[in-house]
Every structure is written in structure tokens, then in C-alpha cells.
Amino acid sequence: ILDEQLKLGTLSDLSLPLNDFEQLNFTCENVVLTENKMTFLALPNLKSTIAVWSGGGFMISYLRNVQWLREKKITYWGDLDSHGFVILNQMRTYFPQTESVMMDMETFELFKGEGLVPGEKTNAINLSKLSEDEMQVFSLLKSNNFRLEQEKIRQDYVDALFRKFYH
């Protein structure tokens, strides 16, 4: 829970069985989904926002039946690699309102010097839920087998971007 006003007593970090999570309806306006647990735990405080880590990667599919998410502004932040964009595309099949953050050419160019590593190959081609800009980044990453992990993006940049995104 990234908003002090939404805490459950003193609790801000919860782990719930999926059935319980599906039954909840947080009074937040925004939900941030991250691919990696480390970046999930380092998210800044944000007004009317909770963060969800579904276990990482393609386990995002477990959220597909969470009806209350359909009414929230959802932001997905995945690794800058081909799999991150496949997961974003998958997320939008469940929740079309999902926006991406730090999965753009600007972020890639700013932090590629921090440590590109080889990505995992994907056969995905037609990611119809991606924007034109997202598709351009996906194609660059896929064709060069690039991967820039979320953890390589400086925390001050992350904090500033999320605060701007959820002004």
C-alpha cells in the first residue's frame, strides 16, 4: 500500500491468497504492477495507489479474474526486454486500460549504459495491444537480444517518474 491513508492499521505490505485478493476492493484509484520483487519493494509513496507483485513475469495471468482491477488506473512496469513487452501485451488482454511506465526509448537510452545483458529469445511477433512506440522498443530489444532489467534504473529517476505519473 503506497498511500499512508490507505494502510490497514499499521500494515502497508500484505501477502494474500489469490481468492482473498479477488474479493477485496481497495479504495485506491491506482494500481502499479511490477515484474520484479526488488523494484516492487522500492516503489515510492504515491497518493491513492497500491502496488501488486503477482509473483513475477508471466504469473501476471493470475490477476485476470480480479474484477475490481477493471475500475482502476493500472500501470505496468516490466523489464526492458522482449518478455516485458509480451507480459504488458498479455496484461492488456485482461485490463485494456493498463499503461506502461519506463518501458520506452527514453528510459532505454538513458540507462542502457548501466548494464545491458542478453535477453531471452521470444517468438512473439504480433503484440496487438502495444502502442506504436512500445512496438518500436520491443522490436529493437528483440532484434538485438537486449535486456535492461528494472533494477538498473536509478531510484531517483523511478521516484520522479512515478510522482509525475501520479501527480
Side-chain angles (χ1 to χ4, degrees), residues 92-104:
R92 285 185 179 147
T93 65
Y94 314 134
F95 306 103
Q97 77 275 24
T98 302
E99 298 179 48
S100 66
V101 66
M102 290 178 282
M103 296 181 71
D104 55 22

Side-chain angles (χ1 to χ4, degrees), residues 141-158:
L141 298 170
K142 181 180 176 186
S143 64
N144 292 288
N145 198 31
F146 287 153
R147 177 180 185 167
L148 177 63
E149 295 174 316
Q150 293 172 302
E151 297 91 330
K152 301 294 184 182
I153 299 173
R154 284 190 336 263
Q155 189 65 42
D156 63 324
Y157 182 82
V158 170

